[in-house]
Amino acid sequence: MNDIVNLKELSILEKVSQEEIFEYIFKEKIYLNKKYKSIFRIDLRPACYFKWYNNILYFVDWGADPSHLTCFMAFSAIEKIEMWEVYLRLNKLIKKEEIGIGEYQINCPKISNQEKTKISYKERTSGFNANDLKYWKQYEITEDNLIEDNIKVLDYIRFQKEGMIYKKDVINQLVYLIPVNNHFKFYFPENTEFRFLGNTTKNDVGNLQNLENKTIVITKSYKDARVLRNYNINTIWFQNEGMLPSTEILVEILNKNNKIIIWYDNDNAGKIASEKIKNKILKIFNAEITLFFCTVHKDPSDTLKENKELFKKELAKLKKLL
């Protein structure tokens, strides 16, 4: 059982996911934690299941031979056709848009400095895999953290306007959906062209619902905020260093506590943005605001990733200010 190398299968999986093909075959949404009856033979007891192995999703039925079916093998078995016919049939179904369960669409104001209006994305039903967890583990962010924060991993994401389509295949690259209020931010950790896209606004403050009545640390990203939350720091995050929420949102924040620490990037842009936020808040509110920066690495999450002992020292300095 190895990675898919058949070029015809790879071509099909650029358009739809393995889950979508299985969902078409089974006529229902599939889950890794559910037992199924086989639809390929007489089966009275649900003991079959789906399992990922080396980037391939298998339907596992130990009462059959072969015991592990890929989505293409399963399509061949249910339709009773040869594999060459499977590829033809699937391509026709894709063209007719008869495969593709659970696609969502939202509007996005900007993508890479070009106006585009439609985003389509599909959540991966299998959840986080080893590559996902390896990435987040660098920052001591666990699967339980991601589930608690409702972070989603995606099968694909498409952006389209006037015939232009960008498709993201998560088998090869990582992409996550970070929800804030009723809006979304898409995070592309490995993308060199852009790392964040979405329809979030300046008033979408991350973790505001969990804010406690004690000193508040403001960061500029989900990742930084989650790292600090794991060390019991009362943290929220703004959408980026250039965005400041409305006065109404600031009132809601400062009603919790008027002692604020802004922990932005330690580069020039981060320091300028921190000063702007501080000055704007002080024009409106009587607040105690401290600017805090990492001494070596850019931000809290990078410091933890690169040098945990240094991160602990930075955290100790922060706690003296709380």
Side-chain angles (χ1 to χ4, degrees):
M1 294 184 286
N2 298 310
D3 287 353
I4 291 175
V5 294
N6 183 303
L7 293 179
K8 291 182 179 178
E9 294 180 2
L10 286 173
S11 174
I12 289 170
L13 294 178
E14 288 179 354
K15 306 179 186 77
V16 295
S17 68
Q18 297 172 66
E19 293 99 326
E20 287 174 317
I21 297 173
F22 272 122
E23 286 167 356
Y24 178 86
I25 296 167
F26 279 75
K27 309 303 180 189
E28 64 175 293
K29 198 169 184 67
I30 62 168
Y31 299 94
L32 292 187
N33 60 353
K34 180 179 176 180
K35 298 291 186 182
Y36 295 83
K37 292 180 183 178
S38 174
I39 61 173
F40 308 103
R41 61 179 178 86
I42 297 173
D43 190 9
L44 302 178
R45 185 172 61 89
C48 306
Y49 55 92
F50 289 94
K51 180 179 181 180
W52 285 93
Y53 185 81
N54 282 357
N55 289 329
I56 302 176
L57 182 60
Y58 290 93
F59 177 72
V60 182
D61 177 6
W62 293 107
D65 184 18
S67 59
H68 291 59
L69 295 180
T70 68
C71 58
F72 299 102
M73 295 165 66
F75 196 95
S76 172
I78 200 70
E79 297 292 337
K80 297 181 172 55
I81 57 177
E82 298 294 327
M83 199 58 71
W84 66 270
E85 292 179 276
V86 168
Y87 305 140
L88 287 176
R89 288 279 299 278
L90 284 173
N91 277 313
K92 287 180 180 178
L93 290 169
I94 292 166
K95 189 173 183 179
K96 291 161 63 176
E97 297 185 349
E98 293 185 17
I99 288 186
I101 300 172
E103 181 173 282
Y104 303 92
Q105 293 185 356
I106 66 170
N107 291 325
C108 180
K110 267 192 176 182
I111 292 174
S112 194
N113 297 322
Q114 294 184 8
E115 295 292 333
K116 301 189 180 184
T117 56
K118 188 173 77 171
I119 293 182
S120 303
Y121 65 92
K122 172 73 164 56
E123 296 175 13
R124 189 197 300 158
T125 56
S126 59
F128 300 99
N129 62 25
N131 288 334
D132 299 311
L133 299 180
K134 180 181 178 182
Y135 170 75
W136 292 104
K137 186 179 180 180
Q138 302 174 98
Y139 309 101
E140 296 185 0
I141 297 174
T142 67
E143 184 173 12
D144 286 343
N145 292 155
L146 297 169
I147 292 171
E148 177 188 351
D149 298 336
N150 204 27
I151 307 301
K152 305 295 184 183
V153 59
L154 303 184
D155 263 330
Y156 65 75
I157 180 168
R158 295 190 183 101
F159 310 107
Q160 184 172 5
K161 183 181 180 182
E162 298 175 355
M164 297 181 292
I165 295 178
Y166 170 78
K167 180 175 176 183
K168 189 72 180 167
D169 185 348
V170 186
I171 289 176
N172 298 319
Q173 295 190 50
L174 306 177
V175 63
Y176 304 99
L177 183 150
I178 303 172
V180 191
N181 299 327
N182 295 318
H183 295 137
F184 304 97
K185 173 169 279 189
F186 300 98
Y187 175 38
F188 301 76
E190 302 171 326
N191 197 308
T192 56
E193 183 183 358
F194 47 76
R195 294 180 64 201
F196 296 100
L197 299 171
N199 64 352
T200 50
T201 71
K202 67 179 184 179
N203 289 329
D204 291 318
V205 177
N207 199 46
L208 185 58
Q209 72 280 7
N210 295 319
L211 198 59
E212 299 177 45
N213 185 18
K214 56 185 182 181
T215 302
I216 299 165
V217 177
I218 300 174
T219 71
K220 52 71 171 109
S221 73
Y222 164 76
K223 190 167 63 178
D224 287 343
R226 182 73 251 192
V227 163
L228 295 179
R229 285 173 63 198
N230 284 346
Y231 282 83
N232 299 314
I233 303 298
N234 190 36
T235 313
I236 56 176
W237 55 280
F238 292 170
Q239 286 305 310
N240 59 52
E241 291 176 332
M243 281 190 175
L244 184 65
S246 67
T247 301
E248 290 77 12
I249 299 293
L250 290 174
V251 168
E252 183 178 351
I253 294 169
L254 288 159
N255 277 341
K256 290 287 186 179
N257 198 300
N258 69 347
K259 187 175 181 181
I260 304 291
I261 297 173
I262 302 171
W263 193 345
Y264 273 9
D265 290 358
N266 67 355
D267 57 13
N268 193 48
K271 291 177 180 178
I272 291 172
S274 298
E275 283 288 349
K276 285 183 178 179
I277 292 174
K278 176 183 176 180
N279 293 336
K280 185 166 184 178
I281 292 176
L282 291 177
K283 285 181 180 179
I284 308 171
F285 303 100
N286 179 23
E288 180 184 340
I289 302 177
T290 303
L291 306 185
F292 190 85
F293 303 102
C294 295
T295 53
V296 178
H297 303 288
K298 183 179 69 172
D299 55 35
S301 55
D302 277 0
T303 303
L304 177 59
K305 174 186 172 184
E306 299 297 335
N307 189 329
K308 186 170 182 178
E309 289 305 311
L310 179 59
F311 173 78
K312 288 181 177 180
K313 291 179 181 178
E314 305 279 23
L315 200 61
K317 288 191 290 185
L318 177 78
K319 288 182 177 180
K320 290 180 181 179
L321 302 172
L322 298 179

PDB file of all heavy atoms in Angstrom, residues 84-108:
ATOM      1  N   TRP A  84      -9.993   0.911 -16.762  1.00  0.00           N
ATOM      2  CA  TRP A  84      -9.944   1.962 -17.775  1.00  0.00           C
ATOM      3  C   TRP A  84     -11.301   2.647 -17.914  1.00  0.00           C
ATOM      4  O   TRP A  84     -11.385   3.855 -18.157  1.00  0.00           O
ATOM      5  CB  TRP A  84      -9.475   1.418 -19.126  1.00  0.00           C
ATOM      6  CG  TRP A  84     -10.410   0.433 -19.788  1.00  0.00           C
ATOM      7  CD1 TRP A  84     -10.415  -0.918 -19.644  1.00  0.00           C
ATOM      8  CD2 TRP A  84     -11.472   0.743 -20.691  1.00  0.00           C
ATOM      9  NE1 TRP A  84     -11.419  -1.493 -20.402  1.00  0.00           N
ATOM     10  CE2 TRP A  84     -12.084  -0.485 -21.055  1.00  0.00           C
ATOM     11  CE3 TRP A  84     -11.980   1.930 -21.234  1.00  0.00           C
ATOM     12  CZ2 TRP A  84     -13.167  -0.558 -21.925  1.00  0.00           C
ATOM     13  CZ3 TRP A  84     -13.058   1.853 -22.107  1.00  0.00           C
ATOM     14  CH2 TRP A  84     -13.626   0.622 -22.438  1.00  0.00           C
ATOM     15  N   GLU A  85     -12.371   1.855 -17.687  1.00  0.00           N
ATOM     16  CA  GLU A  85     -13.706   2.440 -17.732  1.00  0.00           C
ATOM     17  C   GLU A  85     -13.973   3.304 -16.497  1.00  0.00           C
ATOM     18  O   GLU A  85     -14.715   4.291 -16.573  1.00  0.00           O
ATOM     19  CB  GLU A  85     -14.767   1.340 -17.818  1.00  0.00           C
ATOM     20  CG  GLU A  85     -14.777   0.560 -19.120  1.00  0.00           C
ATOM     21  CD  GLU A  85     -15.850  -0.515 -19.109  1.00  0.00           C
ATOM     22  OE1 GLU A  85     -15.589  -1.609 -18.574  1.00  0.00           O
ATOM     23  OE2 GLU A  85     -16.958  -0.239 -19.628  1.00  0.00           O
ATOM     24  N   VAL A  86     -13.368   2.920 -15.385  1.00  0.00           N
ATOM     25  CA  VAL A  86     -13.516   3.703 -14.150  1.00  0.00           C
ATOM     26  C   VAL A  86     -13.045   5.134 -14.391  1.00  0.00           C
ATOM     27  O   VAL A  86     -13.729   6.106 -14.026  1.00  0.00           O
ATOM     28  CB  VAL A  86     -12.709   3.060 -13.003  1.00  0.00           C
ATOM     29  CG1 VAL A  86     -12.623   4.024 -11.802  1.00  0.00           C
ATOM     30  CG2 VAL A  86     -13.342   1.745 -12.583  1.00  0.00           C
ATOM     31  N   TYR A  87     -11.874   5.277 -15.002  1.00  0.00           N
ATOM     32  CA  TYR A  87     -11.317   6.608 -15.226  1.00  0.00           C
ATOM     33  C   TYR A  87     -12.202   7.436 -16.165  1.00  0.00           C
ATOM     34  O   TYR A  87     -12.432   8.633 -15.924  1.00  0.00           O
ATOM     35  CB  TYR A  87      -9.902   6.501 -15.805  1.00  0.00           C
ATOM     36  CG  TYR A  87      -8.966   5.667 -14.961  1.00  0.00           C
ATOM     37  CD1 TYR A  87      -8.054   4.782 -15.534  1.00  0.00           C
ATOM     38  CD2 TYR A  87      -9.007   5.735 -13.563  1.00  0.00           C
ATOM     39  CE1 TYR A  87      -7.205   4.019 -14.763  1.00  0.00           C
ATOM     40  CE2 TYR A  87      -8.160   4.969 -12.788  1.00  0.00           C
ATOM     41  CZ  TYR A  87      -7.268   4.108 -13.383  1.00  0.00           C
ATOM     42  OH  TYR A  87      -6.437   3.340 -12.607  1.00  0.00           O
ATOM     43  N   LEU A  88     -12.723   6.779 -17.201  1.00  0.00           N
ATOM     44  CA  LEU A  88     -13.621   7.482 -18.123  1.00  0.00           C
ATOM     45  C   LEU A  88     -14.888   7.936 -17.413  1.00  0.00           C
ATOM     46  O   LEU A  88     -15.332   9.080 -17.558  1.00  0.00           O
ATOM     47  CB  LEU A  88     -13.972   6.573 -19.308  1.00  0.00           C
ATOM     48  CG  LEU A  88     -12.880   6.321 -20.348  1.00  0.00           C
ATOM     49  CD1 LEU A  88     -13.365   5.334 -21.395  1.00  0.00           C
ATOM     50  CD2 LEU A  88     -12.470   7.634 -21.018  1.00  0.00           C
ATOM     51  N   ARG A  89     -15.493   7.041 -16.634  1.00  0.00           N
ATOM     52  CA  ARG A  89     -16.746   7.347 -15.951  1.00  0.00           C
ATOM     53  C   ARG A  89     -16.561   8.463 -14.933  1.00  0.00           C
ATOM     54  O   ARG A  89     -17.383   9.368 -14.818  1.00  0.00           O
ATOM     55  CB  ARG A  89     -17.284   6.087 -15.256  1.00  0.00           C
ATOM     56  CG  ARG A  89     -17.844   5.026 -16.209  1.00  0.00           C
ATOM     57  CD  ARG A  89     -19.268   5.361 -16.642  1.00  0.00           C
ATOM     58  NE  ARG A  89     -20.160   5.405 -15.497  1.00  0.00           N
ATOM     59  CZ  ARG A  89     -20.715   4.325 -14.949  1.00  0.00           C
ATOM     60  NH1 ARG A  89     -20.447   3.120 -15.426  1.00  0.00           N
ATOM     61  NH2 ARG A  89     -21.540   4.453 -13.929  1.00  0.00           N
ATOM     62  N   LEU A  90     -15.479   8.384 -14.172  1.00  0.00           N
ATOM     63  CA  LEU A  90     -15.242   9.405 -13.153  1.00  0.00           C
ATOM     64  C   LEU A  90     -15.013  10.777 -13.787  1.00  0.00           C
ATOM     65  O   LEU A  90     -15.530  11.787 -13.294  1.00  0.00           O
ATOM     66  CB  LEU A  90     -14.042   9.021 -12.280  1.00  0.00           C
ATOM     67  CG  LEU A  90     -14.303   7.936 -11.244  1.00  0.00           C
ATOM     68  CD1 LEU A  90     -13.004   7.526 -10.559  1.00  0.00           C
ATOM     69  CD2 LEU A  90     -15.311   8.405 -10.201  1.00  0.00           C
ATOM     70  N   ASN A  91     -14.271  10.815 -14.860  1.00  0.00           N
ATOM     71  CA  ASN A  91     -14.042  12.098 -15.536  1.00  0.00           C
ATOM     72  C   ASN A  91     -15.349  12.683 -16.070  1.00  0.00           C
ATOM     73  O   ASN A  91     -15.557  13.903 -16.025  1.00  0.00           O
ATOM     74  CB  ASN A  91     -13.025  11.938 -16.668  1.00  0.00           C
ATOM     75  CG  ASN A  91     -11.588  11.993 -16.166  1.00  0.00           C
ATOM     76  OD1 ASN A  91     -11.233  12.876 -15.392  1.00  0.00           O
ATOM     77  ND2 ASN A  91     -10.761  11.045 -16.593  1.00  0.00           N
ATOM     78  N   LYS A  92     -16.243  11.831 -16.551  1.00  0.00           N
ATOM     79  CA  LYS A  92     -17.555  12.313 -17.021  1.00  0.00           C
ATOM     80  C   LYS A  92     -18.388  12.847 -15.858  1.00  0.00           C
ATOM     81  O   LYS A  92     -19.050  13.879 -15.968  1.00  0.00           O
ATOM     82  CB  LYS A  92     -18.298  11.183 -17.733  1.00  0.00           C
ATOM     83  CG  LYS A  92     -17.741  10.841 -19.108  1.00  0.00           C
ATOM     84  CD  LYS A  92     -18.532   9.721 -19.761  1.00  0.00           C
ATOM     85  CE  LYS A  92     -17.957   9.382 -21.132  1.00  0.00           C
ATOM     86  NZ  LYS A  92     -18.688   8.258 -21.781  1.00  0.00           N
ATOM     87  N   LEU A  93     -18.364  12.121 -14.735  1.00  0.00           N
ATOM     88  CA  LEU A  93     -19.115  12.566 -13.559  1.00  0.00           C
ATOM     89  C   LEU A  93     -18.586  13.891 -13.022  1.00  0.00           C
ATOM     90  O   LEU A  93     -19.348  14.751 -12.591  1.00  0.00           O
ATOM     91  CB  LEU A  93     -19.050  11.494 -12.457  1.00  0.00           C
ATOM     92  CG  LEU A  93     -19.834  10.209 -12.731  1.00  0.00           C
ATOM     93  CD1 LEU A  93     -19.476   9.136 -11.707  1.00  0.00           C
ATOM     94  CD2 LEU A  93     -21.338  10.486 -12.702  1.00  0.00           C
ATOM     95  N   ILE A  94     -17.257  14.041 -13.056  1.00  0.00           N
ATOM     96  CA  ILE A  94     -16.642  15.289 -12.606  1.00  0.00           C
ATOM     97  C   ILE A  94     -17.055  16.434 -13.530  1.00  0.00           C
ATOM     98  O   ILE A  94     -17.405  17.531 -13.074  1.00  0.00           O
ATOM     99  CB  ILE A  94     -15.107  15.149 -12.562  1.00  0.00           C
ATOM    100  CG1 ILE A  94     -14.695  14.173 -11.446  1.00  0.00           C
ATOM    101  CG2 ILE A  94     -14.440  16.502 -12.355  1.00  0.00           C
ATOM    102  CD1 ILE A  94     -13.256  13.724 -11.536  1.00  0.00           C
ATOM    103  N   LYS A  95     -17.024  16.181 -14.823  1.00  0.00           N
ATOM    104  CA  LYS A  95     -17.389  17.215 -15.797  1.00  0.00           C
ATOM    105  C   LYS A  95     -18.835  17.647 -15.618  1.00  0.00           C
ATOM    106  O   LYS A  95     -19.178  18.828 -15.752  1.00  0.00           O
ATOM    107  CB  LYS A  95     -17.158  16.685 -17.219  1.00  0.00           C
ATOM    108  CG  LYS A  95     -17.302  17.748 -18.298  1.00  0.00           C
ATOM    109  CD  LYS A  95     -16.906  17.210 -19.661  1.00  0.00           C
ATOM    110  CE  LYS A  95     -16.998  18.309 -20.712  1.00  0.00           C
ATOM    111  NZ  LYS A  95     -16.600  17.802 -22.055  1.00  0.00           N
ATOM    112  N   LYS A  96     -19.699  16.691 -15.277  1.00  0.00           N
ATOM    113  CA  LYS A  96     -21.121  16.986 -15.062  1.00  0.00           C
ATOM    114  C   LYS A  96     -21.390  17.481 -13.640  1.00  0.00           C
ATOM    115  O   LYS A  96     -22.532  17.739 -13.262  1.00  0.00           O
ATOM    116  CB  LYS A  96     -21.951  15.729 -15.337  1.00  0.00           C
ATOM    117  CG  LYS A  96     -21.971  15.349 -16.828  1.00  0.00           C
ATOM    118  CD  LYS A  96     -22.377  13.897 -17.035  1.00  0.00           C
ATOM    119  CE  LYS A  96     -23.774  13.619 -16.565  1.00  0.00           C
ATOM    120  NZ  LYS A  96     -24.181  12.205 -16.865  1.00  0.00           N
ATOM    121  N   GLU A  97     -20.322  17.576 -12.831  1.00  0.00           N
ATOM    122  CA  GLU A  97     -20.406  18.046 -11.445  1.00  0.00           C
ATOM    123  C   GLU A  97     -21.349  17.186 -10.611  1.00  0.00           C
ATOM    124  O   GLU A  97     -22.099  17.680  -9.769  1.00  0.00           O
ATOM    125  CB  GLU A  97     -20.825  19.513 -11.393  1.00  0.00           C
ATOM    126  CG  GLU A  97     -19.826  20.442 -12.047  1.00  0.00           C
ATOM    127  CD  GLU A  97     -20.180  21.899 -11.884  1.00  0.00           C
ATOM    128  OE1 GLU A  97     -21.305  22.193 -11.450  1.00  0.00           O
ATOM    129  OE2 GLU A  97     -19.324  22.741 -12.181  1.00  0.00           O
ATOM    130  N   GLU A  98     -21.292  15.875 -10.840  1.00  0.00           N
ATOM    131  CA  GLU A  98     -22.102  14.944 -10.063  1.00  0.00           C
ATOM    132  C   GLU A  98     -21.339  14.356  -8.887  1.00  0.00           C
ATOM    133  O   GLU A  98     -21.900  13.608  -8.090  1.00  0.00           O
ATOM    134  CB  GLU A  98     -22.623  13.818 -10.972  1.00  0.00           C
ATOM    135  CG  GLU A  98     -23.621  14.316 -12.002  1.00  0.00           C
ATOM    136  CD  GLU A  98     -24.219  13.191 -12.822  1.00  0.00           C
ATOM    137  OE1 GLU A  98     -24.118  12.024 -12.387  1.00  0.00           O
ATOM    138  OE2 GLU A  98     -24.777  13.475 -13.899  1.00  0.00           O
ATOM    139  N   ILE A  99     -20.040  14.665  -8.813  1.00  0.00           N
ATOM    140  CA  ILE A  99     -19.238  14.278  -7.648  1.00  0.00           C
ATOM    141  C   ILE A  99     -18.763  15.554  -6.972  1.00  0.00           C
ATOM    142  O   ILE A  99     -18.270  16.463  -7.631  1.00  0.00           O
ATOM    143  CB  ILE A  99     -18.028  13.415  -8.045  1.00  0.00           C
ATOM    144  CG1 ILE A  99     -18.481  12.024  -8.465  1.00  0.00           C
ATOM    145  CG2 ILE A  99     -17.037  13.313  -6.901  1.00  0.00           C
ATOM    146  CD1 ILE A  99     -17.364  11.067  -8.742  1.00  0.00           C
ATOM    147  N   GLY A 100     -18.898  15.602  -5.669  1.00  0.00           N
ATOM    148  CA  GLY A 100     -18.455  16.776  -4.930  1.00  0.00           C
ATOM    149  C   GLY A 100     -19.427  17.125  -3.824  1.00  0.00           C
ATOM    150  O   GLY A 100     -20.211  18.062  -3.949  1.00  0.00           O
ATOM    151  N   ILE A 101     -19.452  16.336  -2.762  1.00  0.00           N
ATOM    152  CA  ILE A 101     -20.365  16.547  -1.640  1.00  0.00           C
ATOM    153  C   ILE A 101     -19.697  17.461  -0.623  1.00  0.00           C
ATOM    154  O   ILE A 101     -18.539  17.302  -0.304  1.00  0.00           O
ATOM    155  CB  ILE A 101     -20.722  15.207  -0.979  1.00  0.00           C
ATOM    156  CG1 ILE A 101     -21.399  14.296  -2.009  1.00  0.00           C
ATOM    157  CG2 ILE A 101     -21.609  15.386   0.242  1.00  0.00           C
ATOM    158  CD1 ILE A 101     -21.616  12.894  -1.531  1.00  0.00           C
ATOM    159  N   GLY A 102     -20.428  18.404  -0.098  1.00  0.00           N
ATOM    160  CA  GLY A 102     -19.937  19.188   1.030  1.00  0.00           C
ATOM    161  C   GLY A 102     -19.031  20.342   0.667  1.00  0.00           C
ATOM    162  O   GLY A 102     -18.200  20.737   1.453  1.00  0.00           O
ATOM    163  N   GLU A 103     -19.173  20.915  -0.522  1.00  0.00           N
ATOM    164  CA  GLU A 103     -18.372  22.075  -0.880  1.00  0.00           C
ATOM    165  C   GLU A 103     -19.055  23.332  -0.367  1.00  0.00           C
ATOM    166  O   GLU A 103     -20.264  23.480  -0.455  1.00  0.00           O
ATOM    167  CB  GLU A 103     -18.196  22.156  -2.395  1.00  0.00           C
ATOM    168  CG  GLU A 103     -17.347  23.349  -2.834  1.00  0.00           C
ATOM    169  CD  GLU A 103     -17.037  23.328  -4.312  1.00  0.00           C
ATOM    170  OE1 GLU A 103     -16.151  22.563  -4.707  1.00  0.00           O
ATOM    171  OE2 GLU A 103     -17.691  24.072  -5.048  1.00  0.00           O
ATOM    172  N   TYR A 104     -18.280  24.253   0.192  1.00  0.00           N
ATOM    173  CA  TYR A 104     -18.804  25.490   0.732  1.00  0.00           C
ATOM    174  C   TYR A 104     -18.262  26.660  -0.055  1.00  0.00           C
ATOM    175  O   TYR A 104     -17.170  26.586  -0.613  1.00  0.00           O
ATOM    176  CB  TYR A 104     -18.410  25.647   2.204  1.00  0.00           C
ATOM    177  CG  TYR A 104     -18.865  24.507   3.071  1.00  0.00           C
ATOM    178  CD1 TYR A 104     -18.035  23.423   3.304  1.00  0.00           C
ATOM    179  CD2 TYR A 104     -20.126  24.520   3.649  1.00  0.00           C
ATOM    180  CE1 TYR A 104     -18.452  22.369   4.098  1.00  0.00           C
ATOM    181  CE2 TYR A 104     -20.546  23.473   4.452  1.00  0.00           C
ATOM    182  CZ  TYR A 104     -19.704  22.406   4.673  1.00  0.00           C
ATOM    183  OH  TYR A 104     -20.114  21.368   5.456  1.00  0.00           O
ATOM    184  N   GLN A 105     -19.008  27.749  -0.089  1.00  0.00           N
ATOM    185  CA  GLN A 105     -18.556  28.938  -0.799  1.00  0.00           C
ATOM    186  C   GLN A 105     -18.706  30.168   0.081  1.00  0.00           C
ATOM    187  O   GLN A 105     -19.673  30.304   0.823  1.00  0.00           O
ATOM    188  CB  GLN A 105     -19.358  29.149  -2.091  1.00  0.00           C
ATOM    189  CG  GLN A 105     -19.099  28.069  -3.137  1.00  0.00           C
ATOM    190  CD  GLN A 105     -19.800  28.374  -4.442  1.00  0.00           C
ATOM    191  OE1 GLN A 105     -20.528  29.346  -4.552  1.00  0.00           O
ATOM    192  NE2 GLN A 105     -19.572  27.545  -5.438  1.00  0.00           N
ATOM    193  N   ILE A 106     -17.713  31.062   0.027  1.00  0.00           N
ATOM    194  CA  ILE A 106     -17.800  32.342   0.708  1.00  0.00           C
ATOM    195  C   ILE A 106     -17.245  33.410  -0.215  1.00  0.00           C
ATOM    196  O   ILE A 106     -16.588  33.102  -1.215  1.00  0.00           O
ATOM    197  CB  ILE A 106     -17.017  32.363   2.044  1.00  0.00           C
ATOM    198  CG1 ILE A 106     -15.506  32.235   1.781  1.00  0.00           C
ATOM    199  CG2 ILE A 106     -17.495  31.293   2.990  1.00  0.00           C
ATOM    200  CD1 ILE A 106     -14.675  32.480   3.020  1.00  0.00           C
ATOM    201  N   ASN A 107     -17.507  34.669   0.100  1.00  0.00           N
ATOM    202  CA  ASN A 107     -16.920  35.772  -0.648  1.00  0.00           C
ATOM    203  C   ASN A 107     -15.620  36.214   0.002  1.00  0.00           C
ATOM    204  O   ASN A 107     -15.501  36.232   1.218  1.00  0.00           O
ATOM    205  CB  ASN A 107     -17.898  36.951  -0.709  1.00  0.00           C
ATOM    206  CG  ASN A 107     -19.101  36.645  -1.571  1.00  0.00           C
ATOM    207  OD1 ASN A 107     -18.973  35.954  -2.568  1.00  0.00           O
ATOM    208  ND2 ASN A 107     -20.253  37.149  -1.182  1.00  0.00           N
ATOM    209  N   CYS A 108     -14.669  36.558  -0.807  1.00  0.00           N
ATOM    210  CA  CYS A 108     -13.364  36.996  -0.304  1.00  0.00           C
ATOM    211  C   CYS A 108     -13.006  38.306  -0.989  1.00  0.00           C
ATOM    212  O   CYS A 108     -13.067  38.396  -2.210  1.00  0.00           O
ATOM    213  CB  CYS A 108     -12.301  35.948  -0.612  1.00  0.00           C
ATOM    214  SG  CYS A 108     -10.663  36.387  -0.046  1.00  0.00           S
TER     215      CYS A 108
END
